[in-house]
Amino acid sequence: MVGLKPSDVPPPLGVKVLSAGTAACIADLVTFPLDTAKVRLQIQGEKAAAEAAKDIRYRGVFGTISTMVRTEGPRSLYNGLVAGLQRQMAFASIRIGLYDNVKNFYTGGKTDRPGVGIRILAGCTTGAMAVSVAQPTDVVKVRFQAQMNLSGVQRRYSGTLQAYKQIFRLEGMRGLWKGTLPNITRNALVNCTELVTYDLIKEAILKHNILSDNLPCHFVSAFGAGFCTTVIASPVDVVKTRYMNSPPGQYKSAVNCAWTMMTKEGPTAFYKGFVPSFLRLGSWNVVMFVTFEQLKRAMMISKQRMEATA
């Protein structure tokens, strides 16, 4: 068997929550440059972004990363990392860590294999709960990733705490929770597609004895979940990024942002940054789910050893 052996005892809620948050932070550390490139490609075409970039044009995910390193230095790829890790610790802990428990709550604990509808409902629930808690961290992360470290271009924010304070001072509480509606929509889609697809693919692999419950099984399930999630969630993700990054007054609402994109840039604007989105979500899912499964098992082994020696 590749990896740690599954525990005979289901992991408690605390183990799942801590494993999910830690695994998501590790995945963010690995894939953050891809996420930053995705954000830059998504906001390309906005007036403010175009004025700041001047002659800089991003072409493709690796071209964007290369351009950023050349014009802004390698540190620019990790703009907003602190807020990103804060977001994952709050966000993933809830949406992933609570998923199994919410799923069991909706079934009343009567079945180990609930239907797709129950899984979707559980994914929507934990996704919405996570956004309501972690939205300010997402706003700060996106704005840091969008700002350019160019000479002659004034930076909106100099640090994570300063960003939280400035957004609150200039835009109030609404500024920190800006884009909550599109983010809830996006994360309902992401959570449902990501967790439910991972669940179903893994279940099918184990049911048909294609692979055992180990690393290759988790890898294949996570990769499939990442691709399906990117296809479904990409349009909402672009709108969310544009709206959260926009200065006050540019868009009246998330719907107005989507309509402006459609009328000025056409339907292809909703799939800007698709390749980096897939590269990021695919690799993020692989790292996160593989790490999540192994961390759960490692924590259960440690817990059982501590109980045995107590």
Side-chain angles (χ1 to χ4, degrees):
M1 174 173 282
V2 183
L4 298 173
K5 183 182 176 182
S7 172
D8 295 327
V9 181
L13 179 60
V15 168
K16 287 186 280 190
V17 167
L18 183 58
S19 299
T22 306
C25 286
I26 293 169
D28 246 29
L29 283 169
V30 174
T31 63
F32 207 79
L34 292 170
D35 192 40
T36 303
K38 178 202 74 173
V39 169
R40 292 292 180 92
L41 285 165
Q42 286 177 338
I43 65 168
Q44 189 164 255
E46 280 191 328
K47 184 179 178 183
E51 287 175 354
K54 294 178 182 177
D55 297 326
I56 297 173
R57 183 79 181 170
Y58 300 123
R59 292 182 176 85
V61 56
F62 297 112
T64 300
I65 290 173
S66 174
T67 300
M68 288 180 65
V69 170
R70 179 169 46 83
T71 58
E72 303 172 56
R75 289 183 63 182
S76 64
L77 297 173
Y78 283 90
N79 275 350
L81 177 63
V82 174
L85 295 179
Q86 291 171 350
R87 173 184 179 269
Q88 290 299 353
M89 211 62 214
F91 188 70
S93 297
I94 296 171
R95 78 176 183 92
I96 299 169
L98 296 181
Y99 174 70
D100 286 336
N101 291 68
V102 172
K103 194 168 59 175
N104 292 335
F105 171 77
Y106 284 132
T107 60
K110 295 177 181 177
T111 176
D112 293 331
R113 291 187 177 181
V116 175
I118 292 293
R119 299 180 203 225
I120 290 173
L121 184 59
C124 287
T125 303
T126 57
M129 288 168 62
V131 171
S132 65
V133 172
Q135 182 67 9
T137 61
D138 207 8
V139 172
V140 171
K141 178 184 82 79
V142 166
R143 292 194 183 187
F144 261 103
Q145 289 176 312
Q147 76 177 2
M148 297 184 172
N149 302 328
L150 298 172
S151 58
V153 176
Q154 187 176 358
R155 299 187 68 188
R156 292 169 78 179
Y157 312 109
S158 58
T160 306
L161 290 176
Q162 183 265 338
Y164 286 117
K165 291 176 183 176
Q166 185 172 319
I167 293 169
F168 178 73
R169 181 168 51 83
L170 298 178
E171 303 173 47
M173 290 294 287
R174 290 184 65 183
L176 289 170
W177 265 268
K178 189 173 187 178
T180 302
L181 180 60
N183 213 12
I184 286 176
T185 306
R186 174 193 179 270
N187 282 292
L189 289 171
V190 167
N191 225 36
C192 290
T193 312
E194 195 173 79
L195 296 177
V196 174
T197 307
Y198 179 81
D199 242 5
L200 293 173
I201 294 174
K202 181 182 171 184
E203 202 171 273
I205 288 172
L206 296 176
K207 183 180 178 181
H208 294 93
N209 294 317
I210 299 170
L211 295 167
S212 58
D213 190 2
N214 54 25
L215 285 175
C217 172
H218 305 155
F219 179 93
V220 172
S221 303
F223 189 83
F227 179 77
C228 294
T229 303
T230 309
V231 172
I232 292 172
S234 196
V236 183
D237 190 36
V238 175
V239 173
K240 180 211 78 165
T241 300
R242 291 274 186 106
Y243 186 59
M244 289 194 331
N245 183 58
S246 65
Q250 183 173 351
Y251 302 117
K252 295 177 182 177
S253 64
V255 175
N256 174 250
C257 176
W259 178 251
T260 303
M261 286 171 58
M262 173 64 80
T263 53
K264 290 189 175 181
E265 301 174 58
T268 55
F270 293 99
Y271 280 92
K272 276 191 172 182
F274 179 83
V275 173
S277 286
F278 171 59
L279 288 174
R280 196 262 174 176
L281 263 178
S283 56
W284 190 93
N285 270 271
V286 168
V287 176
M288 195 285 297
F289 277 116
V290 168
T291 308
F292 178 49
E293 297 278 11
Q294 294 302 304
L295 278 175
K296 278 193 300 182
R297 295 174 184 188
M299 286 183 184
M300 287 304 294
I301 291 170
S302 299
K303 185 173 180 289
Q304 287 166 359
R305 283 176 180 170
M306 287 173 67
E307 288 173 351
T309 56

